[in-house]
């Protein structure tokens, strides 16, 4: 059993840039609704994990990437981190 979960990126420049808005623009309303529902469910599942969840943010965390960090119990950001909605 794990004692904690650390969410990070393999790229030092980007934690998560969120959804691809160009791709989302091409979705039908039903596809967009399904996509948003899946994202919400993912964030709720992260927030509900029994282990402490730590977001180790280095680089850019915008949109859904920031939402992911906010779903974690603890956020640790580097001096180069840039956060935004």
């Amino acid at each position: 059993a794990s004692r904690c979960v650390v969410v990070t990126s393999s790229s030092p420049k980007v934690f998560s840039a969120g959804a691809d808005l160009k791709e989302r623009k091409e979705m039908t309303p039903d596809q967009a609704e399904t996509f948003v529902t899946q994202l919400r469910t993912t964030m709720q599942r992260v927030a509900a994990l029994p282990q402490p969840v730590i977001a180790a943010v280095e680089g850019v965390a915008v949109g859904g990437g920031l939402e992911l960090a906010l779903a974690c119990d603890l956020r640790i950001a580097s001096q180069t981190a840039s956060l935004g909605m």
Side-chain angles (χ1 to χ4, degrees):
S2 62
R3 295 177 56 111
C4 76
V5 176
V6 178
V7 180
T8 191
S9 171
S10 61
S11 169
K13 294 185 179 185
V14 180
F15 173 76
S16 177
D20 181 344
L21 298 180
K22 289 179 185 177
E23 178 183 356
R24 191 161 170 200
K25 182 179 175 184
E26 302 298 320
M27 293 180 183
T28 66
D30 286 343
Q31 290 171 324
E33 183 177 346
T34 299
F35 177 75
V36 169
T37 300
Q38 289 173 339
L39 281 177
R40 186 180 315 115
T41 300
T42 299
M43 301 307 169
Q44 289 170 339
R45 287 181 177 172
V46 168
L49 285 171
Q51 304 89 346
V53 182
I54 302 167
V57 182
E58 184 175 7
V60 177
V62 293
L66 179 57
E67 288 184 64
L68 175 58
L70 292 173
C72 298
D73 299 303
L74 179 68
R75 287 149 298 283
I76 299 173
S78 73
Q79 291 182 336
T80 61
S82 176
L83 313 177
M85 284 307 254

